[in-house]
Structure formats: structure tokens, C-alpha cells
């Protein structure tokens, strides 16, 4: 059974940093693109970033490019999102999801709150 | 403002048909597959439709979708109370550096 489990969400001050992780099981991460999607409280879904199988291709939402870094460790079946220079606008539930064209596999989400 | 345009709300009575539209452009819907997701409050989105009109196994055929040029639509027939949820369309967008774009979502209410 495919499972994606996010962790690392927390309350952080504006300007701070946070690293999210996504543990994958039930499939080999090395075979798939992986993505991050976020959802601000009461708002819609917003794609954040995606990464290809060998980390040679990464795409980012314009508003996070230069502040967020997506990475992966295929040996550990793990996906990460390093988030720097956080602002209130980054407050959201962050989901990891399998594939570039996101399909049926999503994690349960982890909440990031940026507030002083 | 979302790249893909959806109506904010749609409604119907049980048994009725509801259609949700999704409008894009040549960089997204016009040149890439459309997916649709259903989301209940506090839960992760669920895939309803992929590659424009294909349903994952186990999904009721009450859900159907189509695409024409730069627009797509999701139909829910035989509306049921458990269909009350938010629905999002999405597609890859080839403009700028490449990105996956979602519509703003449509809240379906079963009256």
C-alpha cells in the first residue's frame, strides 16, 4: 500500500526556516517525480514545487523560488522541502504527493504556521 | 488569482446533475492533461479524474469529465449528499518555467 507521511510542520517566526519531510512507503521513490502542494487556511490548493527522479529537474512556484528547496533521498525513500525566509503568506497545510502530474497519492499534510 | 478559472460554487438537489467548468489557456489545458480532485474539509484531496476523462478504479461512473481546447468540465450525475465537497481542476502549465496549476475550487452544495 502506497503511503506518504509528512512531518516537520511547526509554528515559526517570520523570517525563520523550517524543513519538511515526507516518508514514502509501498513504492520505490526513485521511480517517480514527487511534488509539494500547500493549502492556506480556508483557501484552495496551491502547487509549490516538484522534483524529478534524479534531482536533475526541479520546478518551483514563483513566490517560493529562491526561498524553498525541494530535495530527495531515494535511498531513504524520503522527500524534503527546505523553507527559508518564511512569511505569513507561507502559512498552510503542506502536502507531499506522488508524480509531477499529481494523481491519487497524497500525504495527510503537515501544518506550517508563520507568526510572531 | 488562479490560472484556471472555476465557478466558486455549484449546487443541486439529490439526483440532479451538476456541471463544474474549468477554463484555462493554450499553455495549460490546451496542451496538457486535466485532472480533477475532490476534497472534504480537513482531509487530503482525492483524485477523481486523470488524463482529461479517465476515472481511477472504484470511482462511481456518476463522475465524468471532458475537455475541449482550453476548457474542461466535470459532471456529477445523480447527485448525492456525500458529494458535497470542494472540487479542483488542475493541469501542467508550460508557461514561465513550468508549473502545476490548480483552479480556485468549486464548492458543491447538495440542497
Amino acid at each position: 500500500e502506497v503511503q506518504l507521511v509528512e512531518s516537520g510542520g511547526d509554528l515559526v517566526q517570520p523570517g525563520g526556516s523550517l524543513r519538511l519531510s515526507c516518508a514514502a512507503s509501498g513504492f520505490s521513490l526513485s521511480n517517480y517525480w514527487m511534488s509539494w502542494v500547500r493549502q492556506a487556511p480556508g483557501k484552495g490548493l496551491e502547487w509549490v514545487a516538484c522534483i524529478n527522479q534524479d534531482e536533475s529537474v526541479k520546478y518551483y512556484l514563483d513566490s517560493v523560488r529562491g526561498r524553498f528547496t525541494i530535495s530527495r533521498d531515494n535511498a531513504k525513500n524520503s522527500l524534503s522541502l527546505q523553507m527559508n525566509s518564511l512569511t505569513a503568506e507561507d502559512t498552510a497545510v503542506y502536502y507531499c504527493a506522488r508524480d509531477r502530474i499529481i494523481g491519487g497519492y497524497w500525504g495527510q499534510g503537515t501544518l506550517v504556521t508563520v507568526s510572531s | 488569482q488562479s490560472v484556471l478559472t472555476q465557478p466558486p460554487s455549484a449546487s443541486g438537489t439529490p439526483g440532479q446533475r451538476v456541471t463544474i467548468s474549468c477554463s484555462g489557456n493554450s499553455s495549460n489545458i490546451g496542451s496538457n492533461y486535466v485532472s480533477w480532485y475532490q476534497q472534504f474539509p480537513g482531509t487530503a484531496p482525492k483524485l477523481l479524474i486523470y488524463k482529461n476523462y479517465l476515472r481511477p478504479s472504484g470511482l462511481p461512473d456518476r463522475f465524468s469529465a471532458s475537455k475541449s481546447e482550453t476548457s474542461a468540465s466535470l459532471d456529477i450525475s445523480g447527485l448525492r449528499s456525500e458529494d458535497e465537497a470542494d472540487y479542483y481542476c488542475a493541469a501542467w502549465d508550460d508557461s514561465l518555467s513550468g508549473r502545476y496549476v490548480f483552479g480556485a475550487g468549486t464548492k458543491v452544495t447538495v440542497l
Side-chain angles (χ1 to χ4, degrees), chain A residues 16-31:
Chain A
S17 298
L18 206 58
R19 186 177 184 88
L20 305 183
S21 297
C22 173
S25 60
F27 69 101
S28 179
L29 195 78
S30 61
N31 292 333

Side-chain angles (χ1 to χ4, degrees), chain A residues 53-72:
Chain A
Q53 289 88 335
D54 66 2
E55 295 192 279
S56 61
V57 180
K58 302 177 183 181
Y59 296 106
Y60 292 97
L61 179 69
D62 281 351
S63 62
V64 308
R65 186 177 294 113
R67 299 188 300 123
F68 290 11
T69 302
I70 189 171
S71 63
R72 62 195 294 157

Side-chain angles (χ1 to χ4, degrees), chain B residues 5-45:
Chain B
T5 301
Q6 297 180 235
S9 63
S11 63
T13 57
Q16 279 190 329
R17 180 190 194 97
V18 167
T19 299
I20 301 169
S21 62
C22 176
S23 177
N25 59 37
S26 59
S27 296
N28 41 66
I29 293 178
S31 52
N32 293 290
Y33 290 125
V34 177
S35 300
W36 290 88
Y37 306 90
Q38 176 191 58
Q39 187 182 34
F40 298 104
T43 68

